């Protein structure tokens, strides 16, 4: 052991902890760790130790940050982290990659829930959120925690196996490569639903307002199991519950903006990112378009003129675009082809069914799910808009809204009930991370073809069916692996008038529910002129 004025040498069982981690790393990942360090030094003054850096390995010594919170309790995790980081090949894996993987490995070895939560918080402070580009963020503590909730320990096993295999073949992973790989790879990791979980998820998607006793009667399972299972599925990232505001009910118009092949300069998403109406954006992987974005525009003539001015500038820069105002829309989910935790869609049979629906004009026999846009005549009070803002922030219970707004419980309960009765706040459930990792969009102006595809799409795992103000049909669908080929093959057998494209994952824009733009006195929307002017100026 060594000692110095600015370091305290501690005699602990660090060697046994290192050996224990080494054995686990070998058993789990097939990797050989270095021999235990000769010494461990608890240091306060070290230029390599920032406030939230737990420690590092240097020339046969373990240097541990003595100011690291709960250093004694977290010592096994700290040693496991350093051991794993030293095990990973530094020549071929970037420092950020090795740091993230070792943080997550150590997190999984912590058995105490309180200490694990503290480790996650310290990791977040050591590596805080960064926006790398308009389509990529770096937030490893949250990303790996989410990965574990979806795939369990298997997620880290897969990531480590694939990265170390590449390193063994002497192919380096730089930081940008690592981020791109991780963001794409985790989308293919899924959670599997058993038979009872599938019944529950399917019922919630179709009956989002049912109480536990109603769900129990419908699926034949106890209310205790249902309560416990819903909580579990939410923690696994499968079920998500939303209290949302149907935009059309409050006069917010929805548009699809389709960007065609770009002959000018500039990435479409960077050109649209400052538009205050940008709700979401998807680049295309293949097909006739470059990108598809969703715009949310509060009803206001000035706002629409600004939007048209911005799009005119983009057109002059070489972007070919088409803007489609959504007149009616609906969402459909179908688990007919989900068995034993896997999707198995018979695309050849589905293609035959689509043609039969079209030839025999059977679409009228299948109920439509798209409902026309309908503006409510409900008079919104100032308290209503504040409640809506709370709902948008995930604050939905009467007690929490009351606490947030400092308003009496009776007033909040009455206004919340009125908003729900008017259909201005609705509850919905969504299912995620169940293997629907491919995304497609189809568009046609042929009304007969549109109705046929609209009826047929009810058999797809998840689809959003929309008709524009000009009767253009736009279908968006989430499909399992390989589904994009089966989907495009099926609809192309129907008509050459259908355009289809494969989409990348969704990127959300800077749109937020614009409560500040609502004029309570005149019950109408104002125009965000400054934000729109700034966006247009950025395009020039």
């Amino acid at each position: 052991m060594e000692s110095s004025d600015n370091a305290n040498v501690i005699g602990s069982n660090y060697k046994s902890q290192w050996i224990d981690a080494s054995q686990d790393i070998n058993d789990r990942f097939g990797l050989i760790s270095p021999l235990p360090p000769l010494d461990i030094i608890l240091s306060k003054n070290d230029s390599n130790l920032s406030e939230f850096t737990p420690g590092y390995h240097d020339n046969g010594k373990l240097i541990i940050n003595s100011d690291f919170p709960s250093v004694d309790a977290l010592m096994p995790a700290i040693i496991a982290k350093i051991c794993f980081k030293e095990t990973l090949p530094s020549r071929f894996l970037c420092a950020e990659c090795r740091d993230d993987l070792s943080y997550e490995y150590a997190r999984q070895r912590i058995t105490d829930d309180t200490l694990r939560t503290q480790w996650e918080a310290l990791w977040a402070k050591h590596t805080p959120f960064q926006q790398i580009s308009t389509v990529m963020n770096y937030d490893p503590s949250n990303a790996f925690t989410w990965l574990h909730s979806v795939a369990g320990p298997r997620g880290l096993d897969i990531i480590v196996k694939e990265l170390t295999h590449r390193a063994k073949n002497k192919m380096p992973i730089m930081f940008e490569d690592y981020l791109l790989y991780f963001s794409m790879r985790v989308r293919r990791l899924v959670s599997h639903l058993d038979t009872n979980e599938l019944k529950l998820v399917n019922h919630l998607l179709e009956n989002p307002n049912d109480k536990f006793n109603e769900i129990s009667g419908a699926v034949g399972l106890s209310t205790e199991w249902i309560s416990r299972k819903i909580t579990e599925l939410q923690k696994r990232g499968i079920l998500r519950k939303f209290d949302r505001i149907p935009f059309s009910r409050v006069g917010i118009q929805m548009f699809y903006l389709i960007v065609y092949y770009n002959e000018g300069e500039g990435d479409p998403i960077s050109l649209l990112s400052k538009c205050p109406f940008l709700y979401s954006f998807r680049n295309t992987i293949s097909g006739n378009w470059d990108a598809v974005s969703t715009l949310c525009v509060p009803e206001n003539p000035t706002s629409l003129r600004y939007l048209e001015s911005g799009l005119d500038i983009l057109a002059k820069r070489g972007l070919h675009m088409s803007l489609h105002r959504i007149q009616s829309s609906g969402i459909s989910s179908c688990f007919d082809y989900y068995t034993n935790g896997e999707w198995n869609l018979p695309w050849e049979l589905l293609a035959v069914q689509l043609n039969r629906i079209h030839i025999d004009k059977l679409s009228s026999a299948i109920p439509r799910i798209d409902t026309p846009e309908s503006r409510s005549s409900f008079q919104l009070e100032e308290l209503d808009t504040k409640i809506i803002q709370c709902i948008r922030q995930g604050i939905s219970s009467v007690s929490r809204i009351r606490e947030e707004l400092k308003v009496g419980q009776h007033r909040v309960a009455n206004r919340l009930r009125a908003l729900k009765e008017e259909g201005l706040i609705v509850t919905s459930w969504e299912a995620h991370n169940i293997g629907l990792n491919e995304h497609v969009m189809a568009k046609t102006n042929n009304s007969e073809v549109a109705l046929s595809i609209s009826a047929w799409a009810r058999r797809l795992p998840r689809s959003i069916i929309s008709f524009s103000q000009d009767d253009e049909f736009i279908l968006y669908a989430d499909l399992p692996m390989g589904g994009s080929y089966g989907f495009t093959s099926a609809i192309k057998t129907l008509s050459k008038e259908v355009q289809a494209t494969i989409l990348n994952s969704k990127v959300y824009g800077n749109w937020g529910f614009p409560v500040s733009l609502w004029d309570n006195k005149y019950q109408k929307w104002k125009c965000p002129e400054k934000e729109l002017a700034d966006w247009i100026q950025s395009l020039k």
Side-chain angles (χ1 to χ4, degrees), residues 205-475:
L205 294 181
E206 295 181 0
N207 307 276
N209 294 302
D210 275 8
K211 296 179 174 57
F212 286 169
N213 62 326
E214 294 171 316
I215 302 171
S216 175
V219 302
L221 298 163
S222 71
T223 55
E224 293 80 7
W225 182 90
I226 289 167
S227 175
R228 184 176 66 255
K229 183 57 66 172
I230 287 176
T231 300
E232 177 193 323
L233 292 174
Q234 286 177 307
K235 288 181 178 179
R236 285 166 58 189
I238 293 176
L239 274 178
R240 295 183 191 175
K241 183 180 182 181
F242 299 90
D243 284 315
R244 60 182 181 83
I245 296 87
F247 295 150
S248 63
R249 297 287 289 154
V250 292
I252 295 177
Q253 303 170 357
M254 302 289 292
F255 292 84
Y256 282 131
L257 177 66
I258 297 177
V259 182
Y260 293 81
Y261 290 120
N262 182 8
E263 296 177 358
E265 296 181 359
D267 174 21
I269 191 171
S270 66
L271 297 173
L272 289 169
S273 62
K274 292 185 179 180
C275 176
F277 303 143
L278 180 63
Y279 180 79
S280 65
F281 190 98
R282 289 179 184 270
N283 284 309
T284 64
I285 296 174
S286 68
N288 300 319
W289 314 322
D290 267 347
V292 178
S293 62
T294 303
L295 305 179
C296 299
V297 185
E299 287 180 359
N300 179 288
T302 307
S303 293
L304 287 172
R305 286 197 295 270
Y306 268 106
L307 177 61
E308 290 169 357
S309 297
L311 297 182
D312 285 343
I313 294 173
L314 291 176
K316 292 175 183 177
R317 295 189 60 168
L319 267 70
H320 300 280
M321 296 166 294
S322 60
L323 188 65
H324 311 271
R325 179 182 172 182
I326 303 305
Q327 185 70 24
S328 64
S329 187
I331 300 175
S332 171
S333 296
C334 178
F335 290 90
D336 287 357
Y337 302 113
Y338 187 92
T339 55
N340 299 321
E342 300 288 344
W343 294 97
N344 185 20
L345 276 73
W347 285 110
E348 296 79 10
L349 181 59
L350 286 170
V352 171
Q353 291 173 349
L354 174 57
N355 277 275
R356 182 52 53 196
I357 290 172
H358 187 62
I359 293 170
D360 293 344
K361 301 186 184 303
L362 300 176
S363 61
S364 60
I366 301 173
R368 290 180 60 164
I369 62 167
D370 59 295
T371 55
E373 161 184 292
S374 174
R375 173 83 183 262
S376 171
S377 59
F378 187 83
Q379 295 287 304
L380 289 173
E381 300 178 2
E382 182 179 357
L383 178 57
D384 296 331
T385 58
K386 290 180 179 179
I387 290 174
I388 288 173
Q389 182 74 344
C390 286
I391 295 295
R392 288 285 298 170
Q393 295 170 353
I395 302 170
S396 58
S397 67
V398 172
S399 59
R400 289 193 63 201
I401 293 174
R402 174 193 175 191
E403 182 181 349
E404 179 73 16
L405 301 181
K406 312 301 181 189
V407 178
Q409 181 169 333
H410 185 68
R411 282 190 66 200
V412 170
N414 283 343
R415 296 313 298 173
L416 187 60
R417 181 170 56 252
L419 290 169
K420 289 182 177 181
E421 289 175 352
E422 186 61 26
L424 299 181
I425 297 176
V426 298
T427 298
S428 63
W429 289 88
E430 290 182 2
H432 295 263
N433 306 314
I434 56 173
L436 302 179
N437 301 319
E438 294 189 7
H439 318 286
V440 295
M441 183 172 274
K443 173 181 171 293
T444 183
N445 296 325
N446 185 309
S447 59
E448 291 186 5
V449 171
L451 291 174
S452 297
I453 298 176
S454 175
W456 171 77
R458 298 292 303 273
R459 305 297 305 280
L460 300 181
R462 185 176 189 271
S463 56
I464 301 176
I465 295 166
S466 304
F467 286 86
S468 77
Q469 207 170 26
D470 299 321
D471 289 329
E472 294 165 307
F473 170 74
I474 299 174
L475 168 68

